[in-house]
Amino acid sequence: MPVSHPAGAGQRPRAAARPPLHLADLDPPGRRGAAERLGQPGFRGDQLSRHYFGRLTDDPGDMTDVPAAARGPLAEALLPRLLTAQQELSCDDGQTRKTLWRALDGSYVESVLMRYPGRVTMCVSSQAGCGMACPFCATGQAGLTRNLSAAEIVAQVVAGARALARGEVAGGRGRVSNVVFMGMGEPLANYTRVLAAVRRITDPVPDGLGISRRAVTISTVGLVPAIGRLAGEGLPVRLAVSLHAPDDALRDQLVPVNRRWPVAEVLDAAWGYAAAAGRRVSIEYALIRDVNDQAWRAEALAGLLEGHLAHVNLIPLNPTPGSRWTASEPGVMREFEERLARRGIPVTIRDTRGRQIDGACGQLAAAGRGGPVHIS
Ligand code: SAH
């Protein structure tokens, strides 16, 4: 079983080109300062923000409130195109779309837009690859390439918001209502940039995209110090913890970073977060046939969660290339759910989207590196 050195605070990606600075890496005073360094009045930073976050455009031709001579240089310096769509795959009648993005250094990442009645969720990547090496997750198999910049994360949400605003997604015009950090990467291993991205995503227009902070979910393997740090931010985002096993013996195998921060410490940090944020923590549990789906593990899980602010999300394991594991039988899944429910633990089975396009949880591997194509 591939086991990485426990990563986290000390994790450092291999040397890779750093993406150029972008408006969305900066807070509003930073943007004004950047405009001034370009010889422009500071308020040009606010104007560009309104175009990017409010009107969802980075095309200088749209910026009629900026003097024509200044538009090109400002856009070139502060709105570089960080990601180019290489491939778009859709399923669920176009209500689920996975985009493969190519960054300027040639790294690939993926994002997934999922439209449901009354909400649209963008699932975004926080790193190119991932260093956590969970053996059931496709992203974990390739290792970490590099951290994404805040602006590269925000660009994935902006692209979804733009497609919805232009009516390009089946179901008519719409808005992104939820953002989940459940794409490629371990968000808390890229803490500073992910937090900056969360601020851009949730700051009101024109400083940011104006998405509710409560509608943002950060999903983690359980990097305990980073969970503690997040609890101190005063940001009521939802925390999801990828638990997948109630016992250290199995979790050491499924989530190798458990060897550094075992179940009890992860859950302590989660309860600290729940108290600080005043919200339930999501406990993610991928049900893997004959691996973690036994009745005794359901009871052990219930024992760990009883009396705490938790909600369990059961995820039928999605197939990944080369994996010997498969999803639990439906009957076993129902029994696992019922055992938790009987003990008073709020539990749901996740409606898995995007399996046909390898866009479901754990399937993002940035594999299809062909030219730009569109398959629906
Ligand atoms: N690194 C973060 C976020 C990315 S994964 C984390 O681990 O939480 C988002 C969720 O999908 C996690 O709960 C992850 O464990 C789960 N997942 C990964 N591979 C999966 C698979 N093959 N089937 C189902 N869920 C999977």
Side-chain angles (χ1 to χ4, degrees):
M1 185 155 311
V3 172
S4 73
H5 47 283
Q11 181 193 31
R12 200 159 282 142
R14 286 188 294 275
R18 234 187 333 153
L21 183 78
H22 184 283
L23 183 87
D25 291 311
L26 303 169
D27 61 11
R31 294 172 210 160
R32 283 175 218 126
E36 282 164 4
R37 277 192 298 282
L38 292 165
Q40 293 290 322
F43 66 79
R44 298 266 182 255
D46 299 319
Q47 288 177 309
L48 293 196
S49 301
R50 185 162 281 117
H51 288 295
Y52 189 63
F53 295 113
R55 303 204 182 103
L56 306 170
T57 180
D58 53 10
D59 181 348
D62 293 337
M63 302 178 188
T64 49
D65 55 345
V66 177
R71 284 178 213 163
L74 277 168
E76 200 176 308
L78 291 175
L79 294 168
R81 294 263 166 92
L82 300 172
L83 300 179
T84 309
Q86 287 288 117
Q87 193 181 47
E88 209 126 64
L89 297 170
S90 324
C91 63
D92 303 320
D93 293 325
Q95 310 245 19
T96 301
R97 329 208 300 181
K98 177 173 89 163
T99 307
L100 172 69
W101 298 103
R102 189 178 195 278
L104 290 169
D105 68 344
S107 300
Y108 287 86
V109 294
E110 294 177 314
S111 62
V112 187
L113 181 153
M114 290 163 283
R115 185 168 218 160
Y116 302 90
R119 78 190 147 96
V120 180
T121 298
M122 278 298 305
C123 176
V124 297
S125 295
S126 57
Q127 298 180 311
C130 184
M132 299 295 127
C134 302
F136 58 91
C137 174
T139 311
Q141 303 318 298
L144 179 67
T145 303
R146 68 168 171 85
N147 285 321
L148 297 191
S149 67
E152 286 175 316
I153 298 169
V154 173
Q156 299 167 56
V157 184
V158 168
R162 188 185 287 141
L164 285 160
R166 292 181 181 166
E168 291 166 6
V169 180
R173 284 180 202 281
R175 306 166 58 94
V176 175
S177 52
N178 297 69
V179 175
V180 298
F181 284 82
M182 293 189 183
M184 297 168 72
E186 166 51 42
L188 294 187
N190 185 16
Y191 189 93
T192 311
R193 297 173 195 86
V194 164
L195 261 284
V198 169
R199 296 194 191 279
R200 301 300 102 76
I201 289 165
T202 59
D203 279 351
V205 177
D207 289 340
L209 290 168
I211 294 169
S212 161
R213 298 190 297 182
R214 299 183 69 82
V216 173
T217 301
I218 295 184
S219 181
T220 179
V221 288
L223 305 185
V224 165
I227 295 173
R229 192 172 163 198
L230 187 64
E233 300 280 353
L235 265 180
V237 297
R238 182 181 290 284
L239 180 71
V241 172
S242 297
L243 199 67
H244 306 313
D247 52 309
D248 288 319
L250 179 58
R251 195 167 190 268
D252 280 350
Q253 307 298 309
L254 297 180
V255 185
V257 79
N258 193 68
R259 294 164 190 215
R260 172 114 161 235
W261 292 294
V263 171
E265 287 183 34
V266 170
L267 290 179
D268 264 358
W271 309 145
Y273 186 83
R279 15 186 353 188
R280 281 179 203 286
V281 171
S282 276
I283 302 294
E284 311 290 293
Y285 200 105
L287 281 166
I288 313 175
R289 187 184 299 176
D290 299 330
V291 172
N292 66 353
D293 60 358
Q294 303 84 353
W296 74 265
R297 283 204 163 92
E299 298 296 338
L301 179 62
L304 292 175
L305 306 185
E306 258 169 352
H308 293 287
L309 274 176
H311 170 272
V312 178
N313 234 315
L314 298 175
I315 317 167
L317 185 83
N318 293 307
T320 58
S323 168
R324 57 205 146 94
W325 288 324
T326 177
S328 305
E329 303 284 359
V332 172
M333 252 186 272
R334 267 196 307 278
E335 188 193 331
F336 201 97
E337 181 188 24
E338 278 161 18
R339 281 182 186 275
L340 293 172
R342 250 182 268 131
R343 301 267 302 259
I345 313 290
V347 53
T348 44
I349 296 184
R350 180 175 291 167
D351 156 34
T352 290
R353 282 280 191 107
R355 266 198 199 193
Q356 306 93 305
I357 54 171
D358 283 348
C361 301
Q363 294 185 310
L364 302 185
R369 296 178 184 185
V373 288
H374 183 91
I375 304 167
S376 322

